[in-house]
Amino acid sequence: MSTRKRYWLMKSEPTDFSIDDLEKVGTEPWTGVRNYQARNFMRQMQVGDGVLFYHSNTEVPGVYGIAEVATTAYPDETQFDRDSKYFDAKATREQPRWDHVDVRYVRHLREPLSLARIREHAEALGDEFALIRKGSRLSVMQVTAAQWKVLLGLEGTA
């Protein structure tokens, strides 16, 4: 029995790690997530799930590319590294608190899909689309198949 493909949006600041960086390395661990809900979403991810690669905290925030989940969740080593900004003194190897997945580059969008453009289509995306909901700050979010289709349908239609 096959598992149905799921879709996600993962945010990164392009000064830390961009879609260009992912293209260069091919596959990268998505480390440093320190929000329990976002971590739990990563624990649900399966190999092959689609990922919208979102640049946050930039002049034009938005979706810049597509990636896919390359591994299931496993412990994030940065939680054990005292020199890492993601170190967590309460995490132990016996009971890690933070997991992550590896993501694999698929492609850049023909042009970025800005947050402003996404908001113009809020009705088509539905009230449950977390990215455009006030106060939503998660770095990993669920995207329905219908929302994925709407967003990719906006590609290149500026």
Side-chain angles (χ1 to χ4, degrees):
M1 182 172 128
S2 66
T3 306
R4 203 169 75 196
K5 185 172 182 171
R6 293 187 214 165
Y7 301 95
W8 309 92
L9 183 142
M10 298 175 86
K11 292 181 183 178
S12 180
E13 295 182 13
T15 54
D16 287 340
F17 192 77
S18 70
I19 189 69
D20 294 333
D21 296 326
L22 184 58
E23 181 181 26
K24 287 176 191 162
V25 298
T27 302
E28 181 76 5
W30 201 268
T31 59
V33 172
R34 295 299 182 264
N35 172 283
Y36 288 108
Q37 187 175 5
R39 179 211 56 195
N40 292 344
F41 285 151
M42 286 196 293
R43 287 179 174 177
Q44 295 174 33
M45 292 178 179
Q46 296 298 314
V47 173
D49 282 356
V51 174
L52 296 169
F53 196 111
Y54 186 93
H55 284 178
S56 62
N57 200 18
T58 187
E59 187 176 325
V60 181
V63 177
Y64 280 70
I66 299 172
E68 68 181 6
V69 176
T71 65
T72 55
Y74 62 100
D76 180 343
E77 286 295 313
T78 63
Q79 68 191 306
F80 309 122
D81 181 357
R82 291 187 181 280
D83 296 328
S84 171
K85 66 181 179 179
Y86 301 117
F87 174 69
D88 185 335
K90 294 181 181 177
T92 65
R93 293 210 177 266
E94 297 75 28
Q95 290 191 304
R97 293 167 56 121
W98 305 107
D99 289 343
H100 69 291
V101 297
D102 293 356
V103 294
R104 180 180 303 116
Y105 175 82
V106 173
R107 68 178 178 87
H108 279 69
L109 294 186
R110 289 189 290 273
E111 60 186 52
L113 180 54
S114 71
L115 178 57
R117 180 107 171 97
I118 293 168
R119 284 189 172 132
E120 291 172 5
H121 297 272
E123 189 173 317
L125 293 165
D127 292 337
E128 75 281 359
F129 190 54
L131 180 66
I132 55 178
R133 206 175 320 136
K134 258 196 181 337
S136 180
R137 301 262 185 246
L138 285 179
S139 61
V140 178
M141 302 174 195
Q142 293 178 304
V143 176
T144 67
Q147 291 163 343
W148 178 272
K149 187 175 179 181
V150 167
L151 290 167
L152 290 187
L154 296 174
E155 183 179 9
T157 63

